[in-house]
Amino acid sequence: MRRLQYLLVVLYPLLSLGQEVPSFNITEQDGLPSNTIYNLFQDNKGFLWIATENGLARYNGFQFYTYDNSSVRSRAVSGILEDDKQRLWLHNFFGEVLYLENDSLKKLTSWETHYTSGFPTISSYKNDLLITVPSHFYQYSPADQNWEILKVDLSQNTKSVHYNHHIVTSQNEIVVCYTSEETTYVKNLSTQETITIDKKDYVLSINVIRLIEYRNKILLFDYAFGKLFDLKSNKADDISEAYKSLLENTTQVSCINDTLLAFMGNDGIKLTGQHGYQKHLLPGKQVSSAVFDKEGGLWLGTLTEGLFYLSSLSSVIYKKEFYRDFNKLAFDPTTGNIFAGNLNGNITQLNEQGEVIRQQASDNKSTVQSLFVDTLAKRLLVFSDKLYIYQLPTFNLLKTINITATKKILRFNNKYLLATSGGLTSINAETFLPEGYITNLRTSTIAYNKENNTLWIGSQKGISTYDLLTTKENSWIIPETNYSPGASDILLYNESVILGTYNNGVIIIDKSKKYKQISITEGLPSSHVTALDLIGNKLWIGTDNGIALLDLKTYKLLSIDASKGLASKEVYDLVAHKNRLYITHPQGLQILPTDIDLNLQKPFLLVQSVTSDNQNQVKPLKGIILKPGSQQLTFHFDVANNLRSHGATRILYRIKELENDRWNETSLRFPIANYLSLPSGKFTFEAYALNEDDVQSEKSVSIPIEVLSPFWRQMWFIVVSFIILTSIIILFVYLRMRSVNRRNREKLEQQNQAQSLRIAQLTSIRAQMNPHFIFNTMSLIQGKVLNGLKEEANDQIQYFSSLLRKVLDFSGKETILLNDEIEVLQKYLLIEKSRFDGELDYSITINDTAKQEMIRIPSLLTQPFVENALRHGLMHKVGDKVLKIDFSLRDDTLIITIKDNGIGRKASGEFNKARRKEHQSFAVEANQKRIDLLNASRQHHISLEILDHYNEHNIASGTSVIIQVPLDLEVNG
């Protein structure tokens, strides 16, 4: 505050006619709810709260957030304050009390039973609220919602007391003003001191009295009578006369920052402070409220024109209606005077205090393109339509010289050097006669280095040096390129050269020819430099997008824009002198202090909300848990306590585990951080804010995030899956082992069956080729030989050997072709027919379907049954002996029928019994066992059926054996 007081005192003389402090107007078009403002307040975080005709609004320097409550009777609000719990309290114009909690505007409904009439005055006192209305003085406890009526003067009848106003002082003392019996009292409830203002001494109003604490004393302001009292020493001193000019058109008085007394009304705001300081701001406007923010900016609310912001009271701008269109500047170091040229060719001279000394009008109305102060000859050289040379301080015109457009003028020795559109030329400083051109190239700027008698020239070909002794010119190009930039200004600093360029920022070349470039990349507002000036090691750089201050020792760069009070981005020219910086831009001539303070206020970063897949997260600061497959996570920020940045506050954020040291950046203009498709896991979201001077927010945001894994990746599922998988593996192993054991058992059974089959086959062979058959056959052959029937014996031998060979060959095979089976039967029956002395009549038939198929059947399946028919059916029959064998194929089944007309099974059994033989043939029994073994490994079983035949007298007439063999497709396919 001491610095503020100092600046106000120093700059007070500047506030003469035509000068004002630059301000920025914010209206409904910028989002303000209404241009009618009743109250301004900055909360503890640094937000600006605005009470308007259309409700309450919060402002962060860029965007407005409005608050409303549909249950209230009036939207017009005023009287904002903040309690110890950082809740905001206010009232509307119908006397309803409202408060803001959890970012929601609520109505204090319990107030309805106590409110009678009038505007309430609300103050925060410790943990309670104090509320006065004309009829009562209340103390309200939000914690337990308890109301208590305060009686400030027990000696007075409370019904006759009219409460005017109260305040809670910086010492936390309650001071209340009330009227009783037309006498006004001001009482300190903490000290019980009372000041009485009797109607005999002063006539005061009732409804428009206000108390003000100013510099540890209490003032009383009566708006109706325009009176101001100083309440001290148990009495009221009328100080209205001392503030007479300030009280004119004043509707309210308040203290700002404990240092300034503000008089607000229909003629703007008038500030007064120590050492006789006074300032009149926004004259002619209806100012209703004022507040200094923590960054030093002044906010003014008006009743008709919205909000005004003055970023710095230490800045002064000359109104264009008085001093039009300044563009070029020149400084006279001998007097400290500043010369400013404008677009109409006029010259204005200002002293060190910024006061206008002289205005030199011009008849040509052409733009001043260059100014130069010749301190040796005390002259001012001005180029507009031609070169004018004036004698100072009288401004007598010494000479007019016709010359092409001149951008820069300087003097060395007895010459004036002029950078013109026709080239670099010189004029004799004594005779004013031209001395010729050094270069014919269009030239924009020049600088003279007297140490080596060299000129630095900026021309249409770029930058070059010119040795005045050797007249040798050398181009300077950026090392490692073939490019020489265009120069707008050139300065010499110690043994270095500073180049201001049109497109490449500032280039500093040291004595060793090394260079350093300062451009947008290094923080310059723009690479288009329009003007340069030096004070010590401080380089002031004007651009088309603001001003920068470069420390040539540390190379630290400071930007100066609207947040520092600059009224326009584009800078035409600038001159720095002592503690003032003179600037020309489209808004006119402006003066800023050269001692630019950094904004050391730390921003306050808040996370307003967090959404995931368009769903708001509840209490996100405590942690965020996202479902598996969440596609989007969006953070919405807000920043307080950085109002002057106008939305340029930088917000840096990252998810630490995913982005490591890489920070993403956004700003308050787009305060959103958006993430898509986060992987599952636990993370930490971090964010912080930087103000325009890179001061970091006091507290960084840190929010834990957990993205749940899909259920198949969660621990419970993994455990359950492991158990299930283990169980499946165990079951699989168990089943596998059981299957292996079963297969082993089946294999063993199959081996046993195969062994049994082989035994059965051998048994069958033995049955087929039993010794009786072999013996009888051999006897038959022997008999034929003895009887001389050699040919028949030879045939029998051939039949027998062929049969024996076939039987032995087929006995090792599981299946044989049907034709081979029939061939064996034919050979067998030929031998047996001889034994029956030709009495055996047999036939073998096969239907056409069976003939056409390559049918395979179990080897030697039919022979045992044929033998049985011969031995037991036909051997003992008298008469014709007939044997029929039939093979037929029906529906993939081979039907074999063996029919004889023998004595039948019953008679054969009795005959065998009488001869002490078994009832059943051994061959048939062995073959039956073989069929059973074959069926054990077949899907479709072989069936065997034996039928007995009887004639009309019920006498056995023969036997039929029917064998059905389903064809195996794998064998017969």
Side-chain angles (χ1 to χ4, degrees), residues 162-231:
H162 181 97
Y163 292 96
N164 303 310
H165 194 234
H166 82 270
I167 61 172
V168 177
T169 70
S170 57
Q171 303 300 318
N172 213 28
E173 295 177 348
I174 303 172
V175 179
V176 60
C177 177
Y178 59 95
T179 299
S180 180
E181 303 291 337
E182 297 185 356
T183 299
T184 300
Y185 302 90
V186 178
K187 184 173 184 177
N188 187 320
L189 298 186
S190 300
T191 64
Q192 296 300 311
E193 293 180 358
T194 303
I195 296 176
T196 303
I197 305 176
D198 194 275
K199 65 179 181 179
K200 298 177 181 178
D201 300 321
Y202 302 106
V203 177
L204 298 178
S205 62
I206 295 178
N207 295 320
V208 287
I209 293 178
R210 291 294 178 265
L211 298 174
I212 306 107
E213 182 183 13
Y214 174 61
R215 302 188 64 81
N216 297 321
K217 58 185 178 181
I218 304 299
L219 304 180
L220 184 148
F221 172 62
D222 184 349
Y223 160 57
F225 292 102
K227 295 288 186 178
L228 186 65
F229 295 89
D230 184 1
L231 307 179

Side-chain angles (χ1 to χ4, degrees), residues 94 153 158 240 250 276 346 590 739 786 885:
F94 280 3
D153 191 350
T158 55
S240 304
T250 294
N346 298 329
Q590 184 176 357
S739 175
L786 293 175
I885 305 172

Side-chain angles (χ1 to χ4, degrees), residues 232-270:
K232 59 182 180 178
S233 302
N234 295 324
K235 66 176 183 177
D237 290 339
D238 186 356
I239 57 174
S240 304
E241 190 63 27
Y243 292 91
K244 183 178 181 180
S245 62
L246 298 175
L247 288 170
E248 292 179 2
N249 298 311
T250 294
T251 58
Q252 60 178 305
V253 179
S254 66
C255 176
I256 305 178
N257 274 13
D258 297 326
T259 59
L260 296 175
L261 200 58
F263 295 80
M264 295 170 284
N266 298 327
D267 191 25
I269 179 172
K270 302 163 189 175

Side-chain angles (χ1 to χ4, degrees), residues 94-129:
F94 280 3
E96 296 171 296
V97 175
L98 312 173
Y99 65 98
L100 198 76
E101 190 173 52
N102 297 326
D103 211 37
S104 176
L105 187 62
K106 302 177 182 180
K107 180 179 176 181
L108 186 62
T109 55
S110 61
W111 168 244
E112 297 289 305
T113 60
H114 302 280
Y115 176 68
T116 53
S117 63
F119 270 18
T121 299
I122 309 173
S123 297
S124 175
Y125 178 69
K126 297 181 179 179
N127 294 322
D128 294 343
L129 292 181

Side-chain angles (χ1 to χ4, degrees), residues 122-394:
I122 309 173
S123 297
S124 175
Y125 178 69
K126 297 181 179 179
N127 294 322
D128 294 343
L129 292 181
L130 300 177
I131 305 177
T132 54
V133 289
S135 59
H136 292 90
F137 189 10
Y138 295 98
Q139 184 170 354
Y140 170 67
S141 173
D144 53 19
Q145 300 184 5
N146 180 59
W147 290 90
E148 179 183 353
I149 298 177
L150 299 181
K151 297 180 179 180
V152 298
D153 191 350
L154 297 178
S155 65
Q156 300 292 332
N157 183 354
T158 55
K159 292 184 179 180
S160 66
V161 173
H162 181 97
Y163 292 96
N164 303 310
H165 194 234
H166 82 270
I167 61 172
V168 177
T169 70
S170 57
Q171 303 300 318
N172 213 28
E173 295 177 348
I174 303 172
V175 179
V176 60
C177 177
Y178 59 95
T179 299
S180 180
E181 303 291 337
E182 297 185 356
T183 299
T184 300
Y185 302 90
V186 178
K187 184 173 184 177
N188 187 320
L189 298 186
S190 300
T191 64
Q192 296 300 311
E193 293 180 358
T194 303
I195 296 176
T196 303
I197 305 176
D198 194 275
K199 65 179 181 179
K200 298 177 181 178
D201 300 321
Y202 302 106
V203 177
L204 298 178
S205 62
I206 295 178
N207 295 320
V208 287
I209 293 178
R210 291 294 178 265
L211 298 174
I212 306 107
E213 182 183 13
Y214 174 61
R215 302 188 64 81
N216 297 321
K217 58 185 178 181
I218 304 299
L219 304 180
L220 184 148
F221 172 62
D222 184 349
Y223 160 57
F225 292 102
K227 295 288 186 178
L228 186 65
F229 295 89
D230 184 1
L231 307 179
K232 59 182 180 178
S233 302
N234 295 324
K235 66 176 183 177
D237 290 339
D238 186 356
I239 57 174
S240 304
E241 190 63 27
Y243 292 91
K244 183 178 181 180
S245 62
L246 298 175
L247 288 170
E248 292 179 2
N249 298 311
T250 294
T251 58
Q252 60 178 305
V253 179
S254 66
C255 176
I256 305 178
N257 274 13
D258 297 326
T259 59
L260 296 175
L261 200 58
F263 295 80
M264 295 170 284
N266 298 327
D267 191 25
I269 179 172
K270 302 163 189 175
L271 301 177
T272 182
Q274 289 183 309
H275 310 294
Y277 165 75
Q278 291 186 4
K279 179 174 286 190
H280 191 181
L281 304 173
L282 303 185
K285 301 186 185 302
Q286 299 179 32
V287 177
S288 57
S289 184
V291 63
F292 271 109
D293 63 34
K294 298 178 182 180
E295 302 162 84
L298 178 61
W299 296 86
L300 302 176
T302 68
L303 293 178
T304 57
E305 299 179 58
L307 187 64
F308 286 85
Y309 173 60
L310 292 77
S311 61
S312 173
L313 294 182
S314 58
S315 175
V316 173
I317 191 169
Y318 290 76
K319 294 182 180 179
K320 292 181 66 173
E321 54 264 33
F322 293 97
Y323 307 101
R324 298 187 60 82
D325 303 324
F326 290 107
N327 64 328
K328 286 296 177 181
L329 295 171
F331 172 61
D332 184 355
T334 59
T335 62
N337 290 344
I338 298 293
F339 296 92
N342 69 8
L343 300 180
N344 291 326
N346 298 329
I347 306 297
T348 300
Q349 183 179 4
L350 300 93
N351 62 18
E352 284 187 307
Q353 287 73 38
E355 297 171 331
V356 176
I357 300 174
R358 175 194 295 270
Q359 283 190 290
Q360 182 69 27
S362 173
D363 296 332
N364 59 72
K365 305 300 180 184
S366 296
T367 300
V368 174
Q369 298 187 39
S370 59
L371 291 171
F372 174 69
V373 176
D374 180 1
T375 56
L376 293 177
K378 295 184 179 180
R379 297 170 184 162
L380 177 66
L381 281 70
V382 181
F383 180 85
S384 53
D385 61 327
K386 58 187 69 174
L387 182 63
Y388 297 87
I389 303 176
Y390 295 97
Q391 187 66 53
L392 296 177
T394 60

